[in-house]
Amino acid sequence: MKNSTEKPRKIRLNSPFTLLGCGCSLVAVIGLLLIFIFLGVQVYRSRLDVRWSREDYAQCTKNLRYIGQAMASYEKDFHQLPAKLEDLTPHYLDVEYLRCPLEVKGVGVHYEYFPTAQQEGDVLVSCQNHRQGTVVLQRSLKIRAKQWR
């Protein structure tokens, strides 16, 4: 039996973790901090990745623009697309523009060329080396790439 003179305890609600108990609130805060630290490290490591370079991504997009201009000139002269990208050199395009900057650094692969592209929206040349996304030159000679924010 309870003593009638005993006062009921008051619960203080100073913290959202009060109801969890004194030990649980500390564990919850440490857990949240660890989650944020882990996510921050992941974002930082992805930015250090060679395949996340803005400069290389921009240069690859420029290369595909140059390839598009060379394709247009080649098609104007021969009334067809070249059989392979190397046919554009040296008259229409310098060799250096036929390689993604990441391929030059040894972490990427060749541009993929699709000479059978017929429709305006079909992929003509693509580069899948970048973590930002695929850079594509369409048959209409437009570049399709993920935009930076």
Side-chain angles (χ1 to χ4, degrees):
M1 232 190 216
K2 283 190 173 183
N3 189 353
S4 61
T5 59
E6 192 176 309
K7 292 184 180 180
R9 285 194 234 170
K10 292 183 181 179
I11 299 175
R12 290 183 155 183
L13 298 175
N14 296 340
S15 163
F17 299 109
T18 302
L19 296 175
L20 296 175
C22 62
C24 293
S25 62
L26 180 61
V27 171
V29 168
I30 291 172
L32 286 173
L33 284 174
L34 288 175
I35 289 171
F36 284 117
I37 289 170
F38 175 76
L39 292 174
V41 166
Q42 293 299 320
V43 168
Y44 179 72
R45 287 180 67 196
S46 71
R47 296 294 180 186
L48 291 178
D49 186 1
V50 175
R51 295 179 292 156
W52 194 272
S53 168
R54 286 184 184 213
E55 293 79 22
D56 291 337
Y57 192 75
Q59 184 60 49
C60 185
T61 304
K62 276 185 194 177
N63 288 357
L64 290 181
R65 286 189 204 289
Y66 294 144
I67 290 171
Q69 292 168 354
M71 289 265 188
S73 297
Y74 186 96
E75 192 171 24
K76 184 179 175 184
D77 292 345
F78 295 100
H79 306 291
Q80 64 182 12
L81 292 174
K84 54 187 191 260
L85 286 177
E86 289 77 18
D87 292 345
L88 296 173
T89 61
H91 184 67
Y92 297 96
L93 188 67
D94 289 338
V95 173
E96 66 189 62
Y97 297 116
L98 292 180
R99 297 180 70 199
C100 174
L102 293 177
E103 181 189 352
V104 173
K105 292 179 180 178
V107 293
V109 295
H110 295 297
Y111 289 138
E112 196 170 356
Y113 177 50
F114 304 94
T116 58
Q118 299 294 322
Q119 303 296 323
E120 293 287 311
D122 289 350
V123 175
L124 191 59
V125 181
S126 72
C127 178
Q128 298 183 6
N129 294 327
H130 306 276
R131 289 257 172 129
Q132 293 93 328
T134 303
V135 185
V136 171
L137 173 66
Q138 295 177 324
R139 179 67 174 97
S140 62
L141 303 181
K142 291 183 182 176
I143 300 291
R144 200 175 65 204
K146 183 176 180 180
Q147 299 296 316
W148 289 98
R149 293 181 191 159

